[in-house]
């Protein structure tokens, strides 16, 4: 079922949540929440995304609010900590927010930072987590192939689990994967899946060892599961820096995938200084529960976006809904 825009607007609320530290270039995370027959859902494409890309996120939000989720094979998801591009001295404090997580994803290649900064951050993560901890790095496609190869060599002594989206294009990922194959460090694709016209191109070309899948950018749980099935590669389910409502969508996706060999990036509520629920979906003992999350009226009011930003999101919703009607057919 594809609801009318008025059915969505009837319950739509826009929030602006402060973050514990700057992440992905932002200090506030904005999101639009609405309620359907199955419960609360979230529409939160990043503000720089155009309507064509954002409409796919709306399809996911509608699907989660109006349709039952696929059969689940687990009721908890093992999750990783996420370390923003902070100075090394702040790493330990960040990791303390992720209770019991045995894996850390470390952001690298942030504008204004050097490779030496990244090495210092990863070194501190290894020190805090000890030799048994698992470390993966995420460059968000910022490196050239040569830069990525240099960085992988610099990080190799820290025993990387994998390197995520080191370069922007599928061709570059494939070239890097060939160059570092002898090192035994896998390459994961994120943007090359969720932002590509053909999300299976990276798998068909052999440019990655595993895929990072996100529910909202994929157009919903069922569409994401289809990509996973067709790709035939191991996957990591990750968040798009959502509120706990959006994270619950990702948790339901992860709970429907079998096998699920890697810890998932679904503990990012710990990067938010506030949330829309009094029972946030945060890591406990390195895991999160698989459950729907209800938004609290008091918190929706407390963290409501200002009128200008609220109108911006409502207008965006209407435009994306018009596009989504065509995508959903």
């Amino acid at each position: 079922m594809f609801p009318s825009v008025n059915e969505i607007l009837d319950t739509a609320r826009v929030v602006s949540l402060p973050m514990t530290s700057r992440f992905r270039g932002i200090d506030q995370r904005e999101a639009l929440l609405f309620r359907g027959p199955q419960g609360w859902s979230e529409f939160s494409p990043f503000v720089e995304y155009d309507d064509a890309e954002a409409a796919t996120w709306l399809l996911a939000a509608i699907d989660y609010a109006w349709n039952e989720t696929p059969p689940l094979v687990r009721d908890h998801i093992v999750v990783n900590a996420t370390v923003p591009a902070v100075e090394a001295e702040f790493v330990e404090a960040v990791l303390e927010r992720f209770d019991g997580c045995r894996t850390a994803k470390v952001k690298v290649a942030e504008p204004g930072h050097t490779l030496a900064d990244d090495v210092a951050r990863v070194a501190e993560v290894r020190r805090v987590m000890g030799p048994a901890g698992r470390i993966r790095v995420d460059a968000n496609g910022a490196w050239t192939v040569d830069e990525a190869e240099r960085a992988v060599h610099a990080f190799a002594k820290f025993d990387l689990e994998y390197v995520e989206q080191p370069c922007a294009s599928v061709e570059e990922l494939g070239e890097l994967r060939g160059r570092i194959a002898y090192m035994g460090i896998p390459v994961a694709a994120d943007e090359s899946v969720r932002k590509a016209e053909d999300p299976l191109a990276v798998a068909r070309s052999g440019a990655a060892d595993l895929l990072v899948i996100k529910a909202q950018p994929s157009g919903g749980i069922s569409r994401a599961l289809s990509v996973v099935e067709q790709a035939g590669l191991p996957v990591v389910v990750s968040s798009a820096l959502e509120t706990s409502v959006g994270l619950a969508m990702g948790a339901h996706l992860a709970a429907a995938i079998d096998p699920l060999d890697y810890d998932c990036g679904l503990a990012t509520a710990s990067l938010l200084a506030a949330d829309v629920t009094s029972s946030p979906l945060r890591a406990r003992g390195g895991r999160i529960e698989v459950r729907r999350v209800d938004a609290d009226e008091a918190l929706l009011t407390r963290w409501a976006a200002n009128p200008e930003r609220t109108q911006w999101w409502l207008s965006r919703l209407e435009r994306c809904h018009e596009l989504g009607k065509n995508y959903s057919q």
Side-chain angles (χ1 to χ4, degrees):
M1 176 183 178
F2 194 79
S4 70
V5 70
N6 286 333
E7 288 178 272
I8 300 173
L9 289 171
D10 280 346
T11 59
R13 306 288 293 272
V14 180
V15 296
S16 180
L17 303 176
M19 301 182 59
T20 56
S21 58
R22 192 168 182 81
F23 186 80
R24 209 184 167 280
I26 59 175
D27 300 299
Q28 297 279 136
R29 182 63 168 118
E30 295 180 342
L32 187 152
L33 302 158
F34 59 86
R35 190 172 63 246
Q38 300 297 327
W40 283 94
S41 191
E42 178 172 339
F43 170 59
S44 55
F46 294 104
V47 296
E48 68 269 22
Y49 291 0
D50 63 24
D51 289 349
E53 184 171 357
T56 301
W57 294 56
L58 181 58
L59 292 180
I62 290 172
D63 175 64
Y64 188 60
W66 259 264
N67 300 316
E68 293 185 4
T69 56
L72 308 181
V73 297
R74 60 184 63 84
D75 59 10
H76 287 78
I77 309 298
V78 181
V79 292
N80 63 260
T82 299
V83 180
V86 296
E87 300 298 329
E89 63 188 286
F90 300 115
V91 162
E92 188 165 7
V94 170
L95 290 174
E96 286 174 352
R97 302 187 195 121
F98 296 87
D99 180 66
C101 291
R102 64 186 180 182
T103 301
K105 178 167 86 168
V106 186
K107 288 291 186 176
V108 294
E110 189 87 354
H113 290 243
T114 66
L115 179 57
D117 295 327
D118 293 338
V119 169
R121 185 179 313 112
V122 174
E124 181 64 4
V125 172
R126 173 56 70 204
R127 184 194 71 79
V128 174
M129 297 194 74
R134 305 174 186 183
I135 298 177
R136 52 185 73 157
V137 298
D138 180 11
N140 290 115
W143 288 321
T144 65
V145 176
D146 287 343
E147 289 170 338
E149 184 179 19
R150 191 177 309 116
V152 170
H153 278 279
F155 296 137
K157 59 186 176 183
F158 304 117
D159 188 23
L160 293 188
E161 183 181 35
Y162 61 75
V163 55
E164 180 176 331
Q165 199 68 44
C167 307
S169 72
V170 172
E171 293 73 21
E172 289 172 317
L173 289 182
E175 182 179 348
L176 177 68
R177 183 172 180 250
R179 289 192 192 183
I180 66 173
Y182 75 96
M183 300 177 70
I185 298 175
V187 173
D190 176 7
E191 285 87 347
S192 292
V193 179
R194 64 182 170 90
K195 295 178 75 71
E197 288 187 12
D198 180 1
L200 295 170
V202 69
R204 279 198 302 267
S205 66
D209 299 281
L210 62 148
L211 305 182
V212 177
I213 300 291
K214 300 178 180 180
Q216 278 201 79
S218 298
I221 294 173
S222 295
R223 292 186 181 210
L225 289 174
S226 177
V227 171
V228 171
E229 181 179 356
Q230 293 179 70
L233 291 175
V235 299
V236 176
V237 179
S238 191
S239 84
L241 198 59
E242 293 120 323
T243 76
S244 286
V245 171
L247 291 175
M249 188 194 310
H252 279 81
L253 168 59
I257 296 173
D258 194 31
L260 192 64
D261 297 324
Y262 290 87
D263 297 351
C264 291
L266 295 171
T268 51
S270 292
L271 296 176
L272 301 175
D275 210 326
V276 297
T277 173
S278 56
S279 300
L281 211 56
R282 296 194 176 199
R284 296 289 182 267
R287 307 192 303 174
I288 61 169
E289 299 173 90
V290 180
R291 58 178 170 87
R292 286 187 177 265
V293 171
D294 290 327
D296 294 354
E297 177 61 34
L299 292 172
L300 290 173
T301 300
R302 169 68 179 85
W303 300 110
N306 66 44
E308 180 181 355
R309 294 305 300 162
T310 295
Q311 187 55 54
W312 185 91
W313 275 95
L314 295 178
S315 298
R316 187 188 206 188
L317 170 65
E318 294 187 47
R319 297 193 308 271
C320 291
H321 183 274
E322 189 63 29
L323 291 172
K325 286 192 294 189
N326 298 323
Y327 296 168
S328 66
Q329 294 173 354

